[in-house]
Amino acid sequence: MKKIILLLIVAAVVAVFAFDLHSLLTLDSLKSSLGKFREFQAESPFMVAGVFFAAYVLVTAFSIPGAAVMTLAAGALFGLLQGLILVSFASTIGATLAFVGARYLLRDSVQAKFGNRLKAINEGVEKEGAFYLFTLRLVPVFPFFLINLLMGLTSMKAFTFFWVSQLGMFAGTVVYVNAGTELAKIDSLSGILSPGLILSFVLLGIFPLIAKKVTDKIKARKVYAQWNKPAKFDRNMVVIGAGAAGLVSSYIASAVKAKVTLIEAHKMGGDCLNFGCVPSKALIKSAKLAHQMRHAAKYGLHATTPGFSFKVVMARVHSIIKAIEPHDSVERYTGLGVDVIQGYAKIIDPWTVEVKHTSGETSRLTTRSIVIAAGAEPVVPPLPGIETSGYLTSDTLWDEFAKREELPKRLVVLGGGPIGCELSQAFARLGSRVTQVELADRIMVREDPEISAMAMESMRADGVNILTGHKAVRFERRGEQKILVTEHQGSNVEIEFDDIICAVGRKARLKGYGLEEIGVETNRTVITNEYLETLYPNIFAAGDVAGPYQFTHVAAHQAWYASVNALFGHLKKFKVDYSVIPWATFTDPEVARVGLNEQDAKEQGIAYEVTRYGIDDLDRAIADSDAHGVVKVLTVPGKDKILGVTIAGVHAGDLLAEFVLAMKHGLGLNKILGTIHTYPTLAEANKYAAGEWKRAHAPQKLLVWLGKYHAWRLG
Ligand SMILES: Cc1cc2nc3c(=O)[nH]c(=O)nc-3n(C[C@H](O)[C@H](O)[C@H](O)COP(=O)(O)OP(=O)(O)OC[C@H]3O[C@@H](n4cnc5c(N)ncnc54)[C@H](O)[C@@H]3O)c2cc1C
């Protein structure tokens, strides 16, 4: 239907030009026909006014050139006041019809093409669209019809468009209608607007924008009004928290010779080193080896049940933390020029941070800027009985298990997200009887169903009892027995356990260090703008505390923006770029992703094509007896533009890097296909995926002709 309407409109506009109808709307034609129009007008003034009004609406609604001439005609025929009223309403109604038409006919396809990438534009339009439209309307050099059509593609409300247009076009309309009252003196349309007049319009147009910027500045200053700014500062920057975000922020500050203090209350390196990425990956490695020993027959060796001491396995995990610790240590950072304090930081005012040192004393530092990098902590669901269940989280399990001689026998893992899956599989592979409980109907819900099914199948094969659609409701103790009661399809399902790990998510640390007292806005995280500024433009947030992603590499990425904006924002500010964010879940198969997957694309209404390459076909994967998994690439239909990639398979996290680079730098699958990949490597999977895409886009008609050409050459 939309296509038919669009075709009819295009045909109508073409007809106007083909039959030279638009030449009726030129200055010369107006001047020569004015006498006739005046005669009609003398006979039936209301009808002429009505027909003029309707014609004006149609010309503007169909974006036919000639509105300027018609505005002059209004002045000539109806005089300043009546002409002004007629044109002012007709032009706004016509413009709004064009706006609504563009929205109805084109918006969906534009949205499907650009999807989430329009989000920033739509947000901008929501915030300041009326101001921009007003400016565009006021300055009559911007093409009238283009503004109508383009605005229709944004999320601006039709009513807003109507009244801002009516108001914004008023001054220009006065000038043109007034000029029309003295039509005989006008030789050309361009003569109506002198450079001086255009400049006045421009100034008038940008005035509301400037006024808004000034108001914003005043508002920003207002948040500081209740505080006394120190005359001098001890530091250029104070960073709260020495996890990935805090370490990188302070590293950058010291590298550019700023005076920076990094305050850490607990362990240098934060969650990633001490409770997160590092220990979990160390455990996963031991578990993988145990798994391979059990399945050694796959490699032509005798399968064996791995004999090991759990205490030694956990000691290895801690020794690996120790081995990496120097990278994040006080010594290293002090050596880099960072002033490191071990203690608990509290923000007292926008320029003062109080530190309760581990030694017990308290001190205060004044600083030009603050970077909040306080991280996140595990969510503990408030279930009845949980406090006495002896539950563990990623914060406590590494130390608790290090004390044990024995592997947990019956382990429950609450949560089917990445952390829950990694831990479930690792403990199952080491020999625990693991039950994983997930409320949703599948694990890894952010990934496409086929990918979570792949992970689920592999984890089940490793012995993980995955219970999806199970809601944990309470904990019970019956004598020595510990029981988790879950609800599944209306019935209670009881699960006995020796240990339970809560891995149902992580929440930003927001309490206890002054955010509430000074009024830094928070919801689930610290609220920041695109420069990572909080309500106070000299206080920034980065990492898990700021969200929206909870990854070490994103924390480090944000740290660059937070520290550079904190130190140099008065000269130039940078908007944090989330356009290409990769991540991986280190289960076996690993699941790695960058950009969109199918479920995201559907949710966001973005058109896509899928190309799959099965890793079961890859020589190196076959040689390694690891021939399973998939490379799944989403591209813009008919175009060599990558929208997103999911890889499931061995070393998927490493394989993804090539696609991350490609997306970051706008390279397509042709470029990956044209790049030599070493044989035999797993990385060849990427090239073969690109090959699949190329095959699907081969020019079939041309190939038929090529076949004929070669047949002809045979003689
Ligand atoms: C089990 C597990 C596995 C994970 N695996 C991965 C993975 O494979 N890949 C990945 O990218 N991410 C992984 N993550 C997530 C990753 O650990 C986090 O995204 C990352 O640590 C966030 O860094 P951050 O600097 O924001 O916060 P954190 O590392 O949490 O650092 C914040 C620091 O601030 C300190 N602090 C808080 N308040 C104060 C205060 N008032 N004064 C002084 N100090 C304070 C805390 O003590 C802490 O050390 C994993 C997490 C877990 C739990």
Side-chain angles (χ1 to χ4, degrees):
M1 182 64 182
K2 281 185 188 176
K3 278 194 182 147
I4 295 172
I5 298 178
L6 202 59
L7 275 175
L8 286 176
I9 293 175
V10 172
V13 174
V14 169
V16 166
F17 285 95
F19 296 110
D20 216 16
L21 295 177
H22 69 297
S23 64
L24 297 174
L25 298 173
T26 59
L27 192 57
D28 290 342
S29 146
L30 170 66
K31 280 185 176 177
S32 60
S33 331
L34 195 63
K36 257 191 260 157
F37 286 137
R38 286 214 165 108
E39 281 170 26
F40 289 140
Q41 193 185 22
E43 278 171 32
S44 22
F46 289 111
M47 199 181 80
V48 169
V51 169
F52 176 85
F53 188 86
Y56 202 113
V57 169
L58 284 178
V59 163
T60 45
F62 285 96
S63 307
I64 297 165
V69 171
M70 287 193 78
T71 312
L72 294 175
L77 283 172
F78 308 106
L80 181 60
L81 186 66
Q82 200 192 340
L84 187 60
I85 294 170
L86 283 173
V87 171
S88 191
F89 281 96
S91 60
T92 311
I93 292 170
T96 309
L97 287 175
F99 168 92
V100 172
R103 173 159 296 177
Y104 172 71
L105 295 170
L106 303 171
R107 181 129 185 255
D108 284 353
S109 54
V110 172
Q111 186 68 36
K113 204 158 195 180
F114 299 102
N116 233 18
R117 280 166 290 167
L118 291 179
K119 206 172 145 214
I121 296 176
N122 285 338
E123 280 170 4
V125 165
E126 210 145 280
K127 259 169 72 186
E128 301 193 359
F131 284 100
Y132 287 120
L133 177 61
F134 188 71
T135 305
L136 292 172
R137 286 302 192 206
L138 210 56
V139 185
V141 289
F142 296 118
F144 172 78
F145 78 99
L146 212 60
I147 301 172
N148 303 338
L149 301 183
L150 289 178
M151 281 290 166
L153 304 180
T154 71
S155 56
M156 178 175 280
K157 289 193 182 93
F159 180 66
T160 311
F161 179 84
F162 182 88
W163 72 258
V164 175
S165 297
Q166 179 101 40
L167 216 67
M169 291 190 296
F170 192 76
T173 309
V174 172
V175 171
Y176 274 83
V177 175
N178 188 46
T181 58
E182 295 185 60
L183 193 65
K185 292 186 195 163
I186 301 171
D187 299 325
S188 73
L189 286 176
S190 55
I192 298 169
L193 290 176
S194 66
L197 200 56
I198 291 181
L199 185 68
S200 318
F201 280 143
V202 170
L203 290 179
L204 209 58
I206 58 174
F207 175 74
L209 275 181
I210 294 172
K212 182 156 188 332
K213 294 280 173 228
V214 172
T215 328
D216 286 351
K217 274 257 176 301
I218 293 170
K219 255 200 240 157
R221 279 176 190 272
K222 231 173 155 182
V223 298
Y224 293 114
Q226 53 176 313
W227 310 106
N228 290 326
K229 190 173 180 181
K232 281 169 67 179
F233 301 94
D234 303 323
R235 300 285 183 267
N236 296 103
M237 190 201 279
V238 165
V239 181
I240 300 176
L247 289 168
V248 176
S249 298
S250 56
Y251 182 105
I252 291 167
S254 70
V256 296
K257 304 295 174 203
K259 213 166 174 197
V260 54
T261 293
L262 173 65
I263 307 166
E264 172 54 54
H266 194 26
K267 292 187 172 185
M268 292 293 287
D271 279 11
C272 182
L273 172 62
N274 300 291
F275 316 107
C277 335
V278 172
S280 60
K281 268 78 253 181
L283 185 77
I284 285 168
K285 184 71 189 180
S286 298
K288 183 162 192 169
L289 190 56
H291 173 80
Q292 284 174 331
M293 288 168 77
R294 262 194 211 100
H295 296 84
K298 214 165 98 172
Y299 308 100
L301 308 177
H302 291 304
T304 175
T305 303
F308 64 91
S309 147
F310 182 56
K311 205 171 184 100
V312 175
V313 167
M314 289 309 295
R316 173 183 169 272
V317 168
H318 282 277
S319 75
I320 280 163
I321 296 175
K322 281 264 165 307
I324 297 178
E325 239 169 34
H327 301 172
D328 300 350
S329 64
V330 174
E331 294 71 26
R332 174 164 183 239
Y333 276 78
T334 309
L336 288 168
V338 178
D339 166 36
V340 184
I341 299 180
Q342 299 259 255
Y344 190 79
K346 182 168 181 183
I347 304 173
I348 302 298
D349 67 41
W351 307 279
T352 311
V353 176
E354 185 177 88
V355 192
K356 194 158 192 265
H357 296 252
T358 29
S359 57
E361 80 217 38
T362 302
S363 63
R364 283 190 177 194
L365 286 171
T366 55
T367 175
R368 266 203 179 275
S369 59
I370 297 171
V371 174
I372 302 168
E377 58 200 2
V379 171
V380 177
L383 298 173
I386 193 165
E387 288 310 326
T388 52
S389 67
Y391 75 89
L392 297 167
T393 65
S394 56
D395 275 1
T396 54
L397 77 94
W398 309 108
D399 282 345
E400 174 56 32
F401 285 159
K403 293 181 215 151
R404 308 263 187 98
E405 296 292 339
E406 298 290 330
L407 189 70
K409 283 202 172 54
R410 293 168 306 171
L411 177 69
V412 168
V413 175
L414 256 192
I419 295 175
C421 289
E422 287 182 4
L423 292 174
S424 294
Q425 190 177 41
F427 278 103
R429 284 181 159 190
L430 286 171
S432 295
R433 267 171 51 206
V434 179
T435 304
Q436 191 181 12
V437 178
E438 168 57 50
L439 179 65
D441 61 357
R442 60 191 177 95
I443 56 169
M444 292 193 200
V445 286
R446 290 179 68 184
E447 305 305 335
D448 282 340
E450 69 179 291
I451 302 293
S452 37
M454 237 178 234
M456 196 141 90
E457 187 187 320
S458 155
M459 288 169 61
R460 282 192 167 138
D462 286 339
V464 182
N465 176 25
I466 302 175
L467 301 179
T468 53
H470 283 63
K471 181 181 178 190
V473 286
R474 65 177 181 278
F475 288 88
E476 287 183 7
R477 262 186 190 265
R478 293 180 203 145
E480 285 301 292
Q481 271 186 16
K482 293 196 265 188
I483 294 156
L484 169 69
V485 182
T486 64
E487 217 175 77
H488 176 61
Q489 295 178 346
S491 327
N492 279 355
V493 177
E494 298 189 350
I495 307 158
E496 277 183 45
F497 64 87
D498 301 309
D499 285 290
I500 181 156
I501 298 172
C502 279
V504 292
R506 295 167 52 72
K507 59 173 197 268
R509 284 196 192 95
L510 302 171
K511 295 216 161 84
Y513 57 96
L515 303 187
E516 309 96 317
E517 287 88 336
I518 72 159
V520 167
E521 290 174 310
T522 59
N523 42 32
R524 290 157 68 106
T525 56
V526 172
I527 296 175
T528 61
N529 61 13
E530 58 266 70
Y531 304 107
L532 296 177
E533 291 168 350
T534 65
L535 178 70
Y536 294 93
N538 75 316
I539 303 183
F540 296 76
D544 284 5
V545 80
Y549 298 92
Q550 292 184 329
F551 301 112
T552 297
H553 45 280
V554 179
H557 176 71
Q558 288 177 322
W560 185 90
Y561 290 92
S563 54
V564 169
N565 287 339
L567 295 170
F568 302 107
H570 54 292
L571 304 172
K572 162 110 183 100
K573 287 200 269 192
F574 297 87
K575 285 185 187 170
V576 63
D577 173 12
Y578 294 124
S579 55
V580 183
I581 302 283
W583 64 81
T585 302
F586 296 88
T587 43
D588 188 357
E590 283 182 15
V591 173
R593 175 134 78 92
V594 59
L596 298 178
N597 62 4
E598 282 197 80
Q599 69 180 16
D600 288 348
K602 281 179 193 150
E603 239 172 67
Q604 295 169 26
I606 296 174
Y608 65 90
E609 261 178 27
V610 185
T611 302
R612 284 187 181 78
Y613 171 73
I615 295 177
D616 52 333
D617 194 47
L618 185 69
D619 289 3
R620 181 54 189 266
I622 295 169
D624 287 353
S625 294
D626 272 328
H628 52 84
V630 68
V631 179
K632 193 173 165 188
V633 186
L634 266 67
T635 44
V636 174
K639 287 210 175 127
D640 186 8
K641 183 165 174 49
I642 304 171
L643 292 169
V645 180
T646 304
I647 307 180
V650 240
H651 295 299
D654 295 289
L655 296 189
L656 190 75
E658 186 170 14
F659 288 110
V660 179
L661 182 83
M663 284 184 74
K664 176 77 190 165
H665 297 286
L667 305 176
L669 293 169
N670 273 317
K671 287 275 189 281
I672 290 180
L673 189 61
T675 304
I676 300 174
H677 290 63
T678 315
Y679 181 86
T681 55
L682 294 173
E684 282 188 302
N686 296 346
K687 183 178 165 142
Y688 290 134
E692 291 295 328
W693 175 85
K694 188 78 178 173
R695 232 189 316 282
H697 292 85
Q700 295 303 340
K701 284 189 183 139
L702 181 69
L703 288 176
V704 171
W705 283 105
L706 273 180
K708 287 182 183 166
Y709 169 73
H710 286 302
W712 169 75
R713 294 258 295 158
L714 290 175

